[in-house]
Amino acid sequence: IFHNAPMPMIMNMPDGTLVRGNQAYADFIGYDMDELGTIHWRQITHPDDVEADSAMVDAIISGQTDTGSIEKRYFRKDGRMVWGMLRLNLIRDVNDEPVYFIAQIIDITEIKEAQEALQMARDEQAKQAERLMVLNNELEAARLAAEAANLNKSEFLAQMSHELRTPLNSIVGFNDLIRDEMHGPLGADIYKEYAGYIGQSAQHLLSMINDLLDLSKIEAGKMQIDPEWQSLRPLLDTVV
């Protein structure tokens, strides 16, 4: 029964010397049956699991517990690492002295590999989420910077328009005085014609500045629209 059991099984002396192992155990660690007697459990145990394994054995021998179990890693003969759930039972003689251990091993390699793959997927998902958060923060920072730049542009346009419109109104006003000869004749009629050109250009420039102010108000959301009836003929005449 021991030899033909489908589950890896071994019998060890309290000092770890192998008494016997079954075929399933030989297959699990990748050795031939006649090689099992030359192998100590420490040789095929992952270094990080030796201390926990030894502590479990000592606890059972000292009578702190009757049985013990541990998940541990084994190195096969071909170098591949496999996982096993090791369960130990100590057989004692009539004087309650330790005689040998019977160990059963459940191969949990596929479970551990699946857990590792799942953890890697979760880690990658966490990295992707972190990258997405960084990207969102960068996009939000870019959006705020764009809004700030747009606001600065609107404020600049509004300020410049005001700064330009003030002296331009003075130019228009004084030009009208000159054109209408409010303080005396200009002399040659050509000067009145020149004053007319100046007035037209100044009015055109003033209209453009007012449009800039309106644009700034629209971008700032402060544009107030007051609907009123208008005749299309002057507009059409201007376009044509």
Side-chain angles (χ1 to χ4, degrees), residues 119-190:
Q119 186 59 48
M120 289 178 63
R122 287 174 176 171
D123 292 343
E124 182 61 27
Q125 185 179 26
K127 290 179 181 179
Q128 292 291 347
E130 185 176 353
R131 294 191 193 104
L132 182 60
M133 183 179 297
V134 171
L135 180 59
N136 285 337
N137 291 338
E138 291 176 350
L139 289 175
E140 179 64 15
R143 183 185 68 80
L144 294 176
E147 289 181 353
N150 191 55
L151 179 61
N152 290 336
K153 181 195 70 174
S154 298
E155 292 177 349
F156 172 77
L157 287 175
Q159 183 66 28
M160 288 301 297
S161 298
H162 281 295
E163 293 295 331
L164 290 172
R165 190 166 61 170
T166 299
L168 190 57
N169 282 329
S170 298
I171 293 174
V172 171
F174 284 116
N175 183 73
D176 290 343
L177 292 176
I178 294 173
R179 183 194 60 196
D180 297 338
E181 298 179 320
M182 296 296 295
H183 299 287
L186 296 175
D189 291 339
I190 190 66

Side-chain angles (χ1 to χ4, degrees), residues 32-216:
D32 296 329
M33 287 292 292
D34 57 3
E35 295 178 298
L36 296 183
T38 64
I39 303 169
H40 193 278
W41 67 267
R42 290 178 180 269
Q43 295 176 244
I44 57 174
T45 298
H46 192 285
D48 293 343
D49 297 332
V50 170
E51 183 177 352
D53 200 337
S54 298
M56 178 180 64
V57 170
D58 292 341
I60 295 173
I61 292 176
S62 65
Q64 298 178 35
T65 181
D66 295 329
T67 62
S69 63
I70 185 177
E71 292 182 358
K72 58 178 289 188
R73 289 158 288 186
Y74 295 84
F75 289 115
R76 288 170 50 87
K77 184 179 180 179
D78 59 11
R80 186 166 66 92
M81 189 185 74
V82 291
W83 279 88
M85 170 65 78
L86 172 65
R87 182 175 180 81
L88 287 180
N89 289 276
L90 179 61
I91 305 301
R92 298 178 182 271
D93 60 18
V94 293
N95 296 319
D96 204 31
E97 292 296 325
V99 180
Y100 59 85
F101 283 101
I102 295 180
Q104 297 174 318
I105 304 171
I106 300 175
D107 187 354
I108 58 172
T109 304
E110 292 185 358
I111 296 175
K112 286 295 185 179
E113 289 177 347
Q115 290 176 344
E116 183 178 355
L118 179 60
Q119 186 59 48
M120 289 178 63
R122 287 174 176 171
D123 292 343
E124 182 61 27
Q125 185 179 26
K127 290 179 181 179
Q128 292 291 347
E130 185 176 353
R131 294 191 193 104
L132 182 60
M133 183 179 297
V134 171
L135 180 59
N136 285 337
N137 291 338
E138 291 176 350
L139 289 175
E140 179 64 15
R143 183 185 68 80
L144 294 176
E147 289 181 353
N150 191 55
L151 179 61
N152 290 336
K153 181 195 70 174
S154 298
E155 292 177 349
F156 172 77
L157 287 175
Q159 183 66 28
M160 288 301 297
S161 298
H162 281 295
E163 293 295 331
L164 290 172
R165 190 166 61 170
T166 299
L168 190 57
N169 282 329
S170 298
I171 293 174
V172 171
F174 284 116
N175 183 73
D176 290 343
L177 292 176
I178 294 173
R179 183 194 60 196
D180 297 338
E181 298 179 320
M182 296 296 295
H183 299 287
L186 296 175
D189 291 339
I190 190 66
Y191 292 133
K192 293 184 66 175
E193 184 179 348
Y194 290 163
Y197 294 152
I198 294 172
Q200 291 177 5
S201 298
Q203 288 293 345
H204 178 67
L205 184 56
L206 185 60
S207 177
M208 293 179 63
I209 292 174
N210 287 333
D211 289 342
L212 282 176
L213 282 174
D214 289 342
L215 181 61
S216 300

Side-chain angles (χ1 to χ4, degrees), residues 223-238:
M223 185 65 178
Q224 183 176 354
I225 300 176
D226 297 321
E228 61 180 22
W229 291 101
Q230 292 288 336
S231 175
L232 292 178
R233 181 171 295 279
L235 177 62
L236 293 175
D237 291 341
T238 304

